[in-house]
Amino acid sequence: MAPTPPRVIPRAEHIVSRSHISPNALRVLYRLRDAGFQAFLVGGCVRDLLLGLDPKDFDVATDALPEQVKRLFRNCRLVGRRFRLAHVFFGQETIEVATFRASTAPSQGEEPEIEEEEVEEAEGEEGEILDLGGPVTEPRAARYEATHAPVGVIQEGDLDPDAVRMFDETGRILRDNVYGTINDDVWRRDFTANSLYYNVADFSIWDYVGGVEDIAARRLRLIGDPETRYREDPVRMLRAARFEAKLGFQIDPATAEPIARLRELLGGVPPARLFDETLKLFLTGHGARSLEVLRRRGLLTALMPNVEAYLARHPGSLVEKLLLKGLANTDARVGAGRPVAPTFLLSVLLYGPIAQIIEAMPPSRWHELSAILEACDQAVREAQTHIAIPKRLALGVREMFAMQPRLEYPRGRRALRLLAHPKFRAGYDLLLLRAEFGMASSDVARWWTQLQEASGEERERMADAQGQGGERPAGQKSRRRRRPRRRAPGPT
Ligand code: ATP
Ligand code: MG
């Protein structure tokens, strides 16, 4: 493609201020610039800054090769296989630095850019509590250190011997089959709004694709021919839905039209990638809107067909209300910068399918623990055919549902032990939701709330008072079939 000059929007004509850019991202940009490379912020962060939003992360694009980036930053690791990326670490913040991609490079998102071990790290010590997005945190200690290796020079070993590359007289790479120039890089991106470059050399914005205008019109438009772009990477359909939900943009008609025809192509996407997209759709602060957009665009079927089937068959049901409220609660947590639990999300999404499986069993089994567990396993298995739910989360769903009868019928001091269960908080949140929609006693939900607020001594008193209801009579399997003697627990 003949190089197209970008429209350059000078600093005086746009609102992106350095005071809104992560200091670490600025450090990376300055260092690359000072070493003689081109360096731009690119993608979602430029879009969000233009919208006055707080970007969730900052991505950098450069003409420096990954190995050259690595030499500039000691706190740097190269990731990715065919297309290598540099991750520069600053305490909790990671700045991703990508060399401009050539037109033959694998597309963004085509291969996992984050290695398994890093995903584990990102999930933190609390097991499955994820902190996706939220405001950018200041680094605890900026471990920004430079090595003294010469930079800006291509050294032996920097280049893949199989790659065909062209260089200009300064050794700057012009073209190869993996890395390219900014002029190649831009066309590989998905939406015009995601394809703006903020140039650290003069703080201007480079726009090759009309992205600035589309952002101003709050319009989501794929670069190039939409059908071709979806066929290249069907995940772009989910990304369209995500940005529609997140940004409230209108999807341009030509970009929206092929989705209904092509959504089946998502069946060919690796389930692990679809699972990642599911988390981004539902755990980054706009989950309730994501559900609405996914359903309207016929995309929920591609991710969780059993959830779509349940909702379609039971419009306006209590389960749907519970799901919407669960998503709204999760969105509120993200908005407040609090961590969110994927297990809780999966439990509210799968609530309908699980309930339906239980209801299809003989009524005598409805309240058996084994029935609850079987239903959880089956609903997760159905979902697994599309999205790769990690085993640990599948077990978490089981634990949350298995905990419900124990929460509903607390028995003496055993209740106190439940407080220490690693899934207690998520299980309690589910109990509160169920109580809100009449699926569990609100008295008992309140009792658990008070129990958590009480001092140690007070807790024991509450638990003992609760325990006076006595053990279940021997031989009675189901506690739920009869009204518990003490539904409204203790005084206070
Ligand atoms: P978010 O705010 O959710 O992080 P984002 O636009 O930054 O949104 P990322 O998934 O972080 O999304 O991707 C960064 C950039 O990489 C995008 O803005 C886009 O330019 C490009 N990109 C990501 N995935 C794809 C894809 N599947 N096809 C083409 N370009 C993509
Ligand atoms: Mg991003």
Side-chain angles (χ1 to χ4, degrees):
M1 193 171 309
T4 325
R7 179 182 157 212
V8 177
I9 298 114
R11 172 64 190 95
E13 290 169 31
H14 65 72
I15 64 161
V16 176
S17 147
R18 267 160 288 162
S19 63
H20 294 129
I21 298 173
S22 138
N24 295 321
L26 283 173
R27 287 190 184 100
V28 171
L29 291 168
Y30 289 145
R31 177 148 301 221
L32 285 164
R33 179 196 65 187
D34 295 347
F37 296 109
Q38 289 183 308
F40 297 85
L41 282 182
V42 65
C45 61
V46 182
R47 174 199 71 215
D48 290 349
L49 289 167
L50 281 171
L51 288 166
L53 302 173
D54 221 349
K56 95 176 167 349
D57 44 40
F58 290 85
D59 294 330
V60 170
T62 179
D63 60 353
L65 292 169
E67 294 79 3
Q68 293 174 314
V69 177
K70 189 163 169 54
R71 276 202 296 278
L72 277 174
F73 303 97
R74 185 177 294 162
N75 46 332
C76 173
R77 190 150 112 209
L78 300 187
V79 299
R81 290 179 307 250
R82 193 149 98 80
F83 190 85
R84 310 202 86 197
L85 295 164
H87 281 173
V88 187
F89 301 99
F90 298 92
Q92 297 200 313
E93 189 179 10
T94 301
I95 306 295
E96 187 173 285
V97 183
T99 307
F100 297 135
R101 286 173 199 233
S103 51
T104 50
S107 83
Q108 275 94 342
E110 209 176 76
E111 54 178 271
E113 298 191 336
I114 301 205
E115 289 168 346
E116 241 342 87
E117 50 187 299
E118 281 170 52
V119 173
E120 290 300 323
E121 273 171 32
E123 291 178 2
E125 285 153 19
E126 284 174 84
E128 49 109 10
I129 304 287
L130 281 183
D131 198 351
L132 292 165
V136 176
T137 44
E138 278 296 313
R140 268 182 296 184
R143 286 182 285 121
Y144 180 83
E145 281 174 275
T147 61
H148 300 288
V151 296
V153 181
I154 293 174
Q155 299 186 345
E156 210 180 328
D158 283 356
L159 299 176
D160 171 353
D162 298 335
V164 181
R165 287 190 167 84
M166 283 169 59
F167 303 96
D168 69 11
E169 62 284 1
T170 68
R172 175 156 291 164
I173 193 158
L174 291 178
R175 190 176 299 276
D176 68 30
N177 60 10
V178 178
Y179 304 113
T181 65
I182 186 168
N183 216 305
D184 301 312
D185 191 84
V186 62
W187 306 104
R188 308 194 51 73
R189 296 186 179 273
D190 50 4
F191 302 99
T192 59
N194 287 348
S195 310
L196 297 171
Y197 296 77
Y198 171 87
N199 186 5
V200 75
D202 60 1
F203 314 116
S204 63
I205 288 175
W206 290 18
D207 182 4
Y208 288 84
V209 292
V212 169
E213 211 177 290
D214 283 343
I215 287 176
R218 305 186 79 81
R219 183 167 55 216
L220 200 63
R221 196 161 56 88
L222 270 171
I223 297 171
D225 171 55
E227 175 156 351
T228 310
R229 302 307 310 281
Y230 289 136
R231 286 189 181 279
E232 276 171 15
D233 181 7
V235 168
R236 291 175 185 147
M237 293 184 263
L238 295 173
R239 290 177 58 83
R242 175 152 71 88
F243 295 123
E244 181 180 7
K246 170 180 166 148
L247 306 168
F249 279 24
Q250 292 273 346
I251 304 188
D252 185 63
T255 295
E257 181 276 321
I259 294 178
R261 286 185 286 118
L262 301 178
R263 60 185 174 219
E264 318 264 274
L265 296 176
L266 282 162
V269 174
R273 192 160 169 226
L274 292 185
F275 179 72
D276 287 349
E277 288 301 319
T278 305
L279 292 188
K280 288 190 199 166
L281 280 154
F282 289 111
L283 287 185
T284 57
H286 47 80
R289 277 206 307 278
S290 288
L291 185 75
E292 186 276 313
V293 174
L294 286 173
R295 295 199 66 203
R296 176 159 46 77
R297 302 220 168 262
L299 289 168
L300 185 60
T301 305
L303 290 177
M304 302 184 92
N306 55 351
V307 177
E308 173 55 36
Y310 185 93
L311 295 174
R313 231 177 286 131
H314 304 86
S317 62
L318 282 177
V319 166
E320 180 179 336
K321 293 194 172 87
L322 174 141
L323 168 56
L324 288 173
K325 188 65 198 303
L327 293 175
N329 290 351
T330 300
D331 291 344
R333 287 181 70 90
V334 174
R338 290 161 70 198
V340 288
T343 306
F344 177 80
L345 170 75
L346 289 172
S347 297
V348 293
L349 280 168
L350 292 174
Y351 201 96
I354 290 171
Q356 192 174 320
I357 295 164
I358 294 178
E359 278 159 23
M361 295 178 183
S364 60
R365 290 201 59 202
W366 283 1
H367 302 299
E368 283 176 16
L369 185 61
S370 65
I372 297 175
L373 295 179
E374 256 174 65
C376 289
D377 292 347
Q378 189 181 324
V380 168
R381 253 195 325 271
E382 289 165 5
Q384 292 278 20
T385 57
H386 291 70
I387 57 174
I389 299 173
K391 198 164 168 202
R392 160 177 70 79
L393 299 187
L395 290 174
V397 170
R398 259 178 152 239
E399 284 180 296
M400 274 181 70
F401 277 87
M403 196 188 288
Q404 294 307 305
R406 293 165 69 196
L407 289 168
E408 283 181 81
Y409 306 103
R411 286 190 298 152
R413 294 207 177 186
R414 288 178 188 209
L416 299 183
R417 283 212 299 269
L418 213 49
L419 285 177
H421 192 288
K423 288 284 174 302
F424 170 77
R425 180 69 210 195
Y428 161 77
D429 282 344
L430 184 61
L431 177 75
L432 286 188
L433 263 187
R434 296 176 57 232
E436 195 172 333
F437 295 100
M439 300 174 189
S441 146
S442 40
D443 288 337
V444 89
R446 209 170 306 120
W447 185 81
W448 280 105
T449 307
Q450 285 164 359
L451 187 72
Q452 290 173 80
E453 288 160 358
S455 67
E457 218 171 277
E458 177 69 6
R459 281 183 182 180
E460 286 177 7
R461 207 189 50 72
M462 285 176 74
D464 289 343
Q466 187 64 24
Q468 279 160 20
E471 296 292 307
R472 265 181 300 151
Q476 179 167 343
K477 278 220 155 169
S478 163
R479 277 170 273 160
R480 290 167 93 187
R481 256 177 286 159
R482 70 195 235 289
R483 279 185 75 80
R485 284 178 219 166
R486 291 191 142 257
R487 261 224 148 148
T492 60

